C-alpha cells in the first residue's frame, strides 16, 4: 500500500471531504500545517497519541489526542503515536470551519482542539464521510449543509470553554503549564526532578505530580523526555548544528547516549532523521 490511499473524496464549491487510509511509521512522529481549518476523524486511533499545536499567535502544551481533532488554518501540529494504518475522514471548507474570533493564542481553546468530544459534530462528519463513500441524490447540497451545521456546532463547542480561573480543581492552569514548559526550556538540558518543576509554580511535589498527570495525561518524567525529543527534532530539521552540540544542549553526556535515546524514542537515528528531512 502507498503511504496514503484514497478511499473516497467529494468536493463541492465550498466543501471537501476526503476519506483515506494513511500508513504512519512505527512509532510515528509527524508534523502538518494545513492552509485551511480541518477537522479529522480517526476510526482506529491507538491510545497514547499526543501532540503540540504551534502557531505565530500561540502554542499548546503536550496534549493527549483523541479520535476527532481540529487543526486551525496556519497552525502546525506535531504529533506522536504508535504508527500503523489509520483510517481517516478529513473535512475542510473554503470559508473556514472555526469562528472568526477563534483565539489561536488561547491555550484553553487549543487544548480542546486535540480531542473533540461532541456527538453532533462527530455525527455530521460521519455522514459526510458516508456520502463521499456512496454518493446519492444531491450529495453536494447535503455535504454543504452538513458542513454549515458543523461550523455552528464547532462555535458552540468552543464557547463552552470556562472563564479563565487561576487554577482549575485537580488540574494545572494554562499559565502554570506554560511556566513549567518555560522552566524546562531554560534548564539547558540539566537533569530535572519533580521538585524542581513543582517549585516553579509553588506547588508541593506530590500534589504537582498528581495534577500534572491529570492535565497532560503523562508522567512528569515521560513529558520531559517528549519535550526534549521534540526540541531535538527541531534542531536536527532546522539547523546544521553538529550532533555533538545538540547532544550537549539537551543535557546528554555523549553523542552516543543522545543517539541511543533518540533511536529508542523515535525508531530512527538522529543522522537518518536529519537526512530524511522529516519523519512522516
Amino acid at each position: 500500500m502507498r503511504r496514503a490511499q484514497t478511499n473516497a473524496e467529494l468536493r463541492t464549491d465550498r466543501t471537501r471531504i476526503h476519506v483515506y487510509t494513511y500508513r504512519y511509521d512505527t512509532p510515528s512522529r509527524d508534523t502538518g500545517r494545513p492552509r485551511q481549518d480541518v477537522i479529522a476523524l480517526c476510526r482506529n486511533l491507538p491510545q497514547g497519541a499526543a501532540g503540540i499545536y504551534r502557531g505565530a499567535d500561540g502554542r499548546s502544551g503536550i496534549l493527549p489526542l483523541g479520535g476527532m481533532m481540529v487543526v486551525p488554518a496556519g497552525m502546525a501540529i506535531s504529533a506522536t503515536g504508535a504508527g500503523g494504518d489509520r483510517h481517516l475522514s478529513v473535512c475542510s471548507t473554503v470559508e473556514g470551519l472555526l469562528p472568526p474570533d477563534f483565539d489561536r493564542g488561547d491555550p484553553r481553546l487549543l487544548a480542546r482542539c486535540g480531542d473533540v468530544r461532541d456527538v453532533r459534530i462527530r455525527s455530521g462528519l460521519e455522514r459526510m464521510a458516508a456520502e463521499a463513500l456512496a454518493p446519492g441524490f444531491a450529495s453536494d447540497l447535503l455535504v454543504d449543509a452538513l458542513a454549515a451545521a458543523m461550523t455552528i456546532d464547532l462555535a458552540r463547542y468552543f464557547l463552552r470553554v470556562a472563564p479563565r480561573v487561576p487554577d482549575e480543581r485537580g488540574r494545572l492552569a494554562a499559565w502554570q503549564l506554560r511556566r513549567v514548559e518555560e522552566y524546562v526550556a531554560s534548564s539547558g538540558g540539566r537533569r530535572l526532578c519533580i521538585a524542581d518543576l513543582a517549585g516553579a509554580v509553588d506547588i508541593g511535589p506530590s500534589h504537582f505530580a498528581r495534577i500534572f498527570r491529570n492535565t497532560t495525561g503523562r508522567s512528569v518524567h515521560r513529558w520531559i523526555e517528549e519535550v526534549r525529543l521534540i526540541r531535538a527534532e527541531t534542531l536536527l530539521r532546522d539547523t546544521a548544528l553538529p550532533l555533538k552540540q545538540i547532544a550537549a544542549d539537551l543535557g546528554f553526556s555523549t553523542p552516543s547516549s543522545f543517539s541511543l535515546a533518540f533511536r529508542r524514542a523515535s525508531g530512527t537515528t538522529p543522522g537518518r532523521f536529519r537526512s530524511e528531512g522529516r519523519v512522516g
Side-chain angles (χ1 to χ4, degrees), residues 84-210:
D85 292 351
R86 301 291 167 231
H87 307 302
L88 301 163
S89 301
V90 179
C91 177
S92 62
T93 65
V94 172
E95 293 88 355
L97 292 168
L98 297 175
D101 60 350
F102 182 86
D103 184 1
R104 288 165 170 77
D106 189 337
R108 300 170 307 145
L109 294 178
L110 296 181
R112 289 180 68 81
C113 285
D115 187 7
V116 178
R117 300 189 183 189
D118 186 287
V119 174
R120 293 182 181 86
I121 296 171
R122 186 184 185 96
S123 175
L125 189 51
E126 288 177 337
R127 285 193 66 188
M128 283 191 278
E131 199 65 26
L133 289 165
F137 172 72
S139 288
D140 54 345
L141 297 179
L142 177 58
V143 166
D144 282 343
L146 289 168
M150 181 179 290
T151 61
I152 296 171
D153 288 332
L154 281 168
R156 291 177 174 179
Y157 170 79
F158 286 110
L159 281 172
R160 293 199 291 269
V161 171
R164 292 181 181 272
V165 292
D167 186 7
E168 296 177 0
R169 185 177 181 181
R171 295 171 63 89
L172 290 171
W175 68 266
Q176 291 174 313
L177 187 58
R178 285 199 304 273
R179 183 171 293 178
V180 171
E181 291 174 339
E182 291 165 358
Y183 186 89
V184 173
S186 64
S187 66
R190 67 182 177 85
R191 187 175 181 84
L192 297 172
C193 63
I194 292 176
D196 294 326
L197 304 188
V201 288
D202 297 321
I203 298 176
S206 297
H207 181 54
F208 175 81
R210 182 171 62 255

Side-chain angles (χ1 to χ4, degrees), residues 29-33 52 54 76-79 233 237 278-280:
R29 291 190 172 273
D30 205 52
T31 298
R33 188 188 296 272
I52 293 178
R54 291 187 178 88
I77 179 169
S78 299
E233 291 179 346
R237 184 177 56 244
R278 186 185 72 181
V279 174

